[in-house]
Amino acid sequence: MRELKPFQNEPMTDFSKPLNQNLMREAIDVVRSRFGREYLVDIGGRKIATGRWIDSLNPSLPSEKIGRVAVAGTGEAQQAVAAASRAFESWREVPPSERAEFLLRAAEMVRKRRFELAALIVLEAGKQWREADADVAEAIDFLEYYAREMLRLAEPRRMGNAPGEVNLYFYEPRGVAVVISPWNFPLAIAAGMTSAALVTGNTVVFKPAEQTSVMGAYLTEIYRESGIPKEAFHYLPGIGEEVGAYLVEHPSVDVIVFTGSKEVGLQIIEKAAMTRPGQKNIKRVVAEMGGKNAIIVDSDADLDEAVLGTVRSAFGYQGQKCSACSRAIVLEDCYNIFVERLVEAVKSLTVGPADDPKTVVGPLIDESALRKVRSYIGLAEQEGTVLLKDHRPAELEKSGGYYAGPTIVAEVKPDSRLAQEEIFGPVLSVIQAKNFAEALEIAVSTEYALTGGLFSRSPAHIEEAQKRFRVGNLYINRPITGALVERQPFGGFKMSGVGSKAGGPDYLLQFMEPRTVTENTMRRGFAPQA
Ligand code: NAD
């Protein structure tokens, strides 16, 4: 194993440089030139056209088809799990340092293809340039970080200090991991979950989100080129309710790693808890789910910062991040001025196609997301005062893209549906609080506990928030999205998920079983010579 430098986050691309702008434009052209290609199910390197297809569309311009992706059914799922089970016996024996080396090679490949991968995210997921670039950088971070983490955890630990006895504590992989990923971080989350499972010695059956299955195929290609044995990784695009549900119930699956909605996550947890004939392991589920995140704006907050931070957190990637701010809880004394400045700031955001570098707010992922967000905008008119409604240029309609511009709703009641349910889109509710204690109470009043933020200049309030604003990731005087691997390990609790934080020191432990071996070393006499 080569000498590794300490982990460092991958820097973001500086798009103010004309060179980088050109590279990104060229990459978008290259990805466009591949439109319409077919991507097949890949079981241990064997490509399968199943006869059923999902079309992956550009959400900014749905008449553009990114590609056709073969839909895996239960037959393919069965084959993939059987192949993964067989391969486990040999993959688990590959030394951890070698498995880590594969991840580092994959990271290198992602780095080389950085613009191309970001361009695919722009076109397939509707992320704007900077957000797409951050998605790729995060994928590199996960690969680099988990490689190092595995090296740390691979060393058996000697426990206790009783004379005449050696106690070794070490970790072993669990078996077959099913990875079910969402579309909103099509590369980073998929790479994070799959690489964690692989590096710990599990074999992987990977089911990407329907909307971003082409990116799933690109990730598969990267793993194939990194040299990971083909039988250790299987690409199984398909419909969540069909192939996803089948995989969750399969008796030979040992770990399920899921990121997505609360509804699906809870179903998975329930189904995975049932043991089935032939099952040898109790399934472990790692589920990262939704949020209803709040930013509190205190009476003495720096409003320039608070407005900027709230706008970025609420409308970055059109509010389609699990960490996005969807409630601004504002103290009475600065409410009017904050709201006035917030609305003006949001009006200035450019809404448009994701591949246009001017765009700040792009399209939603698909038609069903658009319908849902529109129904919440309808609800907003009943539950609050709509200050800004679906703010965007009218001509966008012509493109057929799934656009919903920013919406701001004031005077929202803390217990209303608008203030309690996750809305995966650019809809921000503003809630007024009489004092800081009430603001904190409102902030934690939902069933979720993912991210939260506070803008304040009061040390006492900052201290109080650290204690009582109980969410997985709390941010003070900065936006609440964009957690970085290792620096801000990420994940929530309550209905936001179960498991330890992605990109943090406990994450890999979930993929392994700890074992203890105790040896009495007080043997008498000599062992006979062999
Ligand atoms: P989703 O739950 O609809 O889908 C996620 C994945 O689950 C997809 O691959 C889908 O095909 C699959 N799936 C659907 N039904 C299934 C079933 N019955 N059995 C097995 N698999 C099934 O979520 P989404 O729309 O892709 O993503 C958005 C959601 O993800 C939001 O709620 C967001 O908050 C959450 N999210 C959470 C985090 C986090 O770290 N906590 C990160 C990103 C996204």
Side-chain angles (χ1 to χ4, degrees), residues 323-485:
S323 53
C325 169
S326 70
R327 296 176 298 154
I329 304 169
V330 188
L331 274 285
E332 213 168 59
D333 4 4
C334 62
Y335 184 86
N336 288 336
I337 174 96
F338 174 81
V339 169
E340 197 180 306
R341 287 169 67 176
L342 175 76
V343 171
E344 285 314 307
V346 174
K347 275 186 189 160
S348 73
L349 301 177
T350 312
V351 183
D355 57 341
D356 181 341
K358 286 197 301 295
T359 293
V360 180
V361 178
L364 297 182
I365 189 71
D366 59 17
E367 210 169 339
S368 126
L370 183 59
R371 262 202 309 276
K372 263 192 218 151
V373 167
R374 284 195 176 146
S375 81
Y376 277 109
I377 296 175
L379 183 68
E381 289 179 305
Q382 297 161 29
E383 292 194 340
T385 307
V386 177
L387 301 179
L388 198 66
K389 184 179 166 186
D390 192 357
H391 188 73
R392 67 193 154 99
E395 69 263 20
L396 280 179
E397 213 58 46
K398 282 184 240 147
S399 67
Y402 309 123
Y403 290 101
T407 294
I408 300 177
V409 200
E411 287 152 53
V412 175
K413 296 220 169 57
D415 58 353
S416 61
R417 280 185 56 204
L418 215 55
Q420 292 288 325
E421 294 174 13
E422 184 182 51
I423 306 170
F424 223 50
V427 180
L428 176 66
S429 297
V430 189
I431 302 170
Q432 198 175 130
K434 279 202 260 334
N435 51 45
F436 191 66
E438 188 185 76
L440 277 178
E441 207 176 294
I442 297 169
V444 296
S445 70
T446 74
E447 59 180 352
Y448 297 104
L450 190 51
T451 68
L454 167 66
F455 283 92
S456 176
R457 285 194 264 218
S458 152
H461 285 180
I462 291 175
E463 203 183 313
E464 206 181 334
Q466 282 177 9
K467 281 196 208 130
R468 293 188 41 216
F469 197 158
R470 292 196 178 88
V471 288
N473 287 64
L474 180 67
Y475 299 91
I476 295 159
N477 291 321
R478 53 149 282 170
I480 66 170
T481 55
L484 290 172
V485 169

